[in-house]
Amino acid sequence: MAAEIERKYLVLNDSWRRHASQGAAFCQAYLTANKNRFVRIRTIDTVRAVLTVKFRTGPLRREEFEYDIPYIDALEMIAYATAVLEKTRYEVRHLGYVWEIDVYSGVNDGLVLAEIELGNEADQPPRPPWLGPEVTGISAYSNRTLAAFPHPDELLMSAQA
């Protein structure tokens, strides 16, 4: 088991792209999900698959169990998903921290969010210039909510405000 402590932000513009890694295409399918726990299947670049179980234990903290699974098994399980989303993930290094930038596609096309995993809840990493308002804890921006109830127009309008 590993603890995951992360914060999430809107992204203001595309200036992060000049420092980004090559993107990885994700398909995330939720087999079951509620506010404090979920089971997810993730395929990565149509060659790798991961089964993840998470339990929320605090406002920023989740206990995470993650296992590689056969890709073909993941495709079969996705057929039973309650919700699915697609995005491309990039990594951007900024002053000693690695930011994960998620560019959503499909029904959430146009939404771009940045996440950062922290060593502890008190960490305050330096903010890159392209980073917008924090949306940590706002359920509309959680991946499981975006998969089940996409609201790209509303979210995009709030990102541009």
Side-chain angles (χ1 to χ4, degrees):
M1 170 180 63
E4 175 189 69
I5 301 168
E6 71 179 17
R7 299 178 85 117
K8 188 178 285 196
Y9 299 82
L10 295 172
V11 173
L12 297 175
N13 57 52
D14 283 345
S15 64
W16 59 270
R17 287 187 181 273
R18 67 178 169 262
H19 304 289
S21 66
Q22 180 177 349
F26 286 13
C27 174
Q28 289 186 188
Y30 293 85
L31 302 178
T32 185
N34 66 35
K35 184 178 179 180
N36 295 317
R37 61 188 66 202
F38 67 80
V39 178
R40 174 188 75 204
I41 300 293
R42 176 186 281 167
T43 62
I44 305 164
D45 288 335
T46 67
V47 295
R48 182 173 168 243
V50 177
L51 170 70
T52 304
V53 180
K54 290 188 184 186
F55 302 95
R56 181 178 300 278
T57 56
L60 303 177
R61 184 184 179 99
R62 293 184 190 102
E63 302 305 318
E64 178 180 74
F65 300 83
E66 197 164 75
Y67 309 95
D68 287 329
I69 62 171
Y71 182 76
I72 195 72
D73 289 357
L75 294 180
E76 290 181 32
M77 285 188 257
I78 287 171
Y80 296 100
T82 59
V84 178
L85 69 77
E86 298 170 343
K87 62 185 180 180
T88 302
R89 174 165 287 172
Y90 302 86
E91 290 186 355
V92 176
R93 295 189 183 283
H94 180 74
L95 299 176
Y97 288 85
V98 177
W99 293 84
E100 295 175 337
I101 312 299
D102 289 339
V103 177
Y104 292 82
S105 54
V107 295
N108 293 299
D109 189 43
L111 181 62
V112 182
L113 296 174
E115 294 180 359
I116 188 161
E117 291 200 23
L118 304 170
N120 69 64
E121 293 182 31
D123 284 352
Q124 294 293 323
R127 294 176 58 95
W130 40 262
L131 199 65
E134 184 169 5
V135 295
T136 303
I138 300 174
S139 64
Y141 292 98
S142 77
N143 284 314
R144 64 179 165 69
T145 300
L146 289 169
F149 307 106
H151 300 288
D153 295 335
E154 293 171 26
L155 297 178
L156 287 173
M157 287 189 323
S158 68
Q160 296 167 353

